Amino acid sequence: MRQKISIDVTLVSGARPGLLKKTLDSFSEKLFRHFNIETLFVNIDPFEGGQAEVDECEAICRCFFPSIETRKPEWPNFTRAVKWLWQQPRAAWVFHLEDDWVLNRDVTYEEFTQSISRRVSQISLMTKEKNWGYRSPYHFEPNRLKLLGKDLGKGLNKKRPIFTTSPSFVKRDFVHRCAALMLDGLDPEKQLNALNPELNTFTAQYRNRFIGQRREYVAVDIGRKHRKDIGLTKRIVKGISVWAEER
């Protein structure tokens, strides 16, 4: 029997112990237990909490992972968090996660290894937010198919693969290079797929393959309801994530 591939984990967290605990409970039960985990790299921003909540989040992480490396910046910045995290991993594959997701089902080691191929640099969990109604197991930019000026309906632009910061396995060398090319002033996911020409030229060589069928929601975003409950809204303004209280 072949030895399992070991993975690192990267985690973007706010100062939100309740959400983080729900996320790690779910992923530990339904994903991490199927893998050999080397190191957790976690960035804990003082977002929605102060130093006490930041320290509580770090303590929660230590309950789930024996080996962790932590960054606790003075000010929250999502892009800098992702950049730092994606520069750290040492294992060949990494599982990237944020602190506000849960799983609907188990994600197995076999699903992961069966998705690996030469051009696949990301293997992402299917979510409702992807709005994926296509048969392709790869995430491409949707477009309209045309022939001699006639609209043939929905299609995919296979020259423009789409990548994500939502729950996914990613290759170490891929994220190292993405981090080096990311611009601090732009939302990381937005610039992975647009806005940053040098980064987009690099990512266009690779593919993001789904775990989960179309409209099968393997992972569920619990952050949206949480933000609604506390009256926070997120907008993208000129490529930057902006948080504001609802009025």
Side-chain angles (χ1 to χ4, degrees):
M1 184 176 179
R2 295 179 64 183
Q3 185 175 1
K4 280 187 175 182
I5 300 169
S6 294
I7 65 171
D8 285 331
V9 176
T10 54
L11 172 60
V12 179
S13 180
R16 313 187 291 186
L19 271 186
L20 177 62
K21 178 67 162 52
K22 289 179 182 177
T23 295
L24 292 182
D25 277 339
S26 179
F27 279 80
S28 293
E29 177 189 352
K30 296 178 180 177
L31 190 151
F32 295 148
R33 71 183 180 90
H34 300 303
F35 291 81
N36 294 329
I37 308 293
E38 293 285 341
T39 303
L40 168 71
F41 300 94
V42 56
N43 183 100
I44 309 173
D45 277 348
F47 176 66
E48 293 186 31
Q51 190 60 50
E53 289 77 19
V54 168
D55 292 343
E56 185 177 352
C57 286
E58 183 177 21
I60 289 169
C61 289
R62 292 191 183 280
C63 292
F64 287 91
F65 299 92
S67 174
I68 83 167
E69 295 185 21
T70 310
R71 177 178 182 261
K72 297 187 286 185
E74 185 176 358
W75 303 103
N77 186 300
F78 182 43
T79 302
R80 289 178 186 171
V82 171
K83 284 184 65 173
W84 180 82
L85 288 168
W86 282 12
Q87 291 167 342
Q88 306 311 309
R90 296 181 285 268
W93 280 89
V94 184
F95 188 79
H96 180 74
L97 182 60
E98 297 162 354
D99 67 348
D100 52 3
W101 291 88
V102 295
L103 289 171
N104 268 334
R105 66 163 175 85
D106 277 45
V107 175
T108 67
Y109 180 78
E110 289 69 29
E111 284 183 291
F112 162 63
T113 56
Q114 289 166 9
S115 300
I116 295 174
S117 65
R118 183 178 61 85
R119 296 187 72 185
V120 169
S121 60
Q122 183 167 54
I123 302 167
S124 59
L125 308 187
M126 187 67 80
T127 69
K128 180 180 180 180
E129 289 70 28
K130 290 178 172 58
N131 192 30
W132 196 247
Y134 302 89
R135 292 180 180 174
S136 173
Y138 299 96
H139 199 174
F140 292 106
E141 179 184 66
N143 69 355
R144 305 295 296 184
L145 294 175
K146 293 185 178 181
L147 180 63
L148 301 176
K150 184 178 180 180
D151 189 338
L152 301 180
K154 293 194 304 180
L156 295 171
N157 177 7
K158 295 188 177 181
K159 294 181 179 180
R160 184 61 267 169
I162 299 298
F163 297 92
T164 185
T165 56
S166 67
S168 58
F169 299 93
V170 281
K171 276 187 175 178
R172 175 198 61 210
D173 294 347
F174 177 77
V175 293
H176 279 189
R177 184 59 180 156
C178 287
L181 294 173
M182 277 186 182
L183 304 174
D184 285 355
L186 298 175
D187 179 87
E189 187 167 277
K190 298 300 180 185
Q191 64 180 303
L192 276 171
N193 302 308
L195 307 178
N196 184 333
E198 189 175 2
L199 176 57
N200 302 153
T201 298
F202 170 70
T203 60
Q205 306 170 73
Y206 301 99
R207 297 290 179 266
N208 173 11
R209 185 182 177 101
F210 293 124
I211 284 180
Q213 305 300 314
R214 55 179 177 165
R215 300 193 177 93
E216 178 199 4
Y217 307 139
V218 178
V220 177
D221 182 347
I222 58 174
R224 293 172 185 266
K225 182 179 184 302
H226 168 80
R227 294 194 298 269
K228 183 177 180 181
D229 289 345
I230 65 172
L232 270 183
T233 59
K234 178 182 177 181
R235 295 180 295 131
I236 304 295
V237 180
K238 295 182 179 180
I240 302 172
S241 297
V242 177
W243 298 91
E245 292 185 0
E246 292 182 345
R247 297 184 183 277

